[in-house]
């Protein structure tokens, strides 16, 4: 598999704080977006160069609780605790494109790829991988696991005008996606198997996993973390 970066995910306690965080660093505020009733979340988006976009996501206070755990770990204690400190770069998604088929890939490797969930929002239709407990994806081997937002969610768009194509492209270019993880070697193994090891630089480090995105802006290189 050889995949590409689809989007990066800013998690926030609410859309207003997430939007303010991004605008304060990049100089441009995410807009638009909409609701995900199946997950009880909503978002705002920001187009960048090369078909990559940024998503701010938060629990939708006006939506009923979903029948399943929300995606991106938003119902889990460690993510909730970090959100209390403010918005942060929580995750990223890698895009699967034809002739590859995400549903078939998952069926062939159910121990490596999380269940595929079909989603819709307006005219958008897509499939993406979401663990049943809503957690961020992880690579497991011999009783150890590595994830923490650094192993990507896999996504396949079922429409031609997906956000990476249809969103206005701002003068923003993702120059480098990087992560630090205490189980760096295990994480690199999973990234290589998925064909995403060239999309993110992983360093060994103690403490909680950390994801950073280095973005070229009209005011110079900025970092989201």
């Amino acid at each position: 598999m050889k995949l590409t970066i689809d989007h990066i995910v800013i998690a926030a306690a609410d859309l207003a704080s997430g939007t303010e965080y991004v605008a304060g660093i990049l100089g441009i505020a995410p807009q638009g977006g909409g609701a995900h009733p199946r997950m009880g979340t909503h978002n705002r988006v920001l187009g960048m160069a090369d078909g990559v976009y940024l998503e701010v996501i938060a629990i939708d206070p006006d939506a009923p609780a979903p029948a399943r755990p929300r995606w991106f770990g938003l119902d889990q204690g460690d993510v909730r605790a970090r959100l209390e400190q403010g918005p942060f770069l929580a995750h990223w998604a890698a895009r699967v494109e034809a002739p590859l088929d995400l549903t078939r890939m998952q069926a062939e490797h159910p121990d490596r790829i999380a269940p595929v969930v079909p989603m819709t929002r307006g005219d958008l239709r897509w499939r993406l991988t979401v663990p049943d407990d809503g957690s961020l994806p992880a690579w497991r081997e011999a009783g150890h696991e590595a994830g923490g937002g650094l192993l990507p969610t896999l996504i396949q768009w079922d429409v031609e005008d997906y956000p990476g194509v249809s969103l206005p492209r701002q003068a923003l270019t993702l120059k480098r996606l990087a992560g630090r993880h205490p189980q760096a070697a295990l994480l690199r193994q999973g990234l290589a198997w998925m064909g995403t090891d060239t999309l993110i630089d992983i360093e060994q480090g103690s403490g909680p996993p950390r994801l950073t995105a280095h973005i070229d802006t009209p005011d110079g290189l900025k970092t989201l973390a």
Side-chain angles (χ1 to χ4, degrees), residues 71-72 102 115-117 119 126-130 153-155:
W71 50 13
F72 303 140
L102 181 56
V116 175
V117 178
M119 295 290 297
W126 71 99
R127 291 166 284 150
L128 79 168
T129 55
V130 186
T153 285
L154 302 183
I155 185 169

Side-chain angles (χ1 to χ4, degrees), residues 173-187:
T173 303
L174 177 61
K175 302 298 289 186
R176 180 173 179 255
L177 195 61
R180 187 180 68 230
H181 198 284
Q183 296 278 349
L186 180 60
L187 184 59

Side-chain angles (χ1 to χ4, degrees), residues 5 26 37 56 60 72 74 82 91 107 145 175 210 221 223:
I5 297 175
L26 301 184
V56 174
D60 186 348
F72 303 140
L74 291 174
R82 184 150 182 205
H91 195 37
E145 70 174 54
K175 302 298 289 186
R210 187 172 181 85
L221 195 65
T223 300

Side-chain angles (χ1 to χ4, degrees), residues 26-219:
L26 301 184
I28 303 175
Q31 299 178 357
H36 314 110
R38 185 169 186 174
M39 293 292 175
T41 60
H42 55 176
N43 70 351
R44 289 178 183 165
V45 290
L46 180 63
M48 301 193 292
D50 304 320
V52 177
Y53 72 99
L54 178 151
E55 173 185 38
V56 174
I57 195 162
I59 292 175
D60 186 348
D62 297 325
R68 53 156 299 143
R70 296 177 178 90
W71 50 13
F72 303 140
L74 291 174
D75 288 325
Q76 300 201 328
D78 57 341
V79 174
R80 285 182 175 269
R82 184 150 182 205
L83 284 175
E84 291 179 359
Q85 303 172 30
F88 68 101
L89 180 62
H91 195 37
W92 64 292
R95 187 167 63 249
V96 175
E97 296 180 293
L100 295 174
D101 182 88
L102 181 56
T103 303
R104 184 178 300 115
M105 289 161 51
Q106 196 279 331
E108 292 173 351
H109 304 283
D111 58 332
R112 294 302 193 192
I113 300 176
V116 175
V117 178
M119 295 290 297
T120 62
R121 180 169 64 79
D123 293 332
L124 294 174
R125 292 182 290 109
W126 71 99
R127 291 166 284 150
L128 79 168
T129 55
V130 186
D132 289 333
D133 63 358
S135 62
L136 293 167
W139 185 261
R140 296 175 177 85
E141 196 74 52
H144 299 279
E145 70 174 54
L150 278 62
L151 192 76
T153 285
L154 302 183
I155 185 169
Q156 185 158 38
W157 293 95
D158 293 319
V159 293
E160 293 184 0
D161 291 332
Y162 57 88
V165 172
S166 62
L167 287 173
R169 295 189 180 185
Q170 306 297 335
L172 303 169
T173 303
L174 177 61
K175 302 298 289 186
R176 180 173 179 255
L177 195 61
R180 187 180 68 230
H181 198 284
Q183 296 278 349
L186 180 60
L187 184 59
R188 291 190 197 105
Q189 176 185 333
L191 290 164
W193 184 88
M194 298 172 75
T196 56
D197 51 317
T198 62
L199 305 180
I200 182 171
D201 298 324
I202 300 296
E203 300 177 354
Q204 179 72 31
S206 59
R210 187 172 181 85
L211 180 65
T212 56
H214 305 277
I215 298 173
D216 192 23
T217 79
D219 294 321

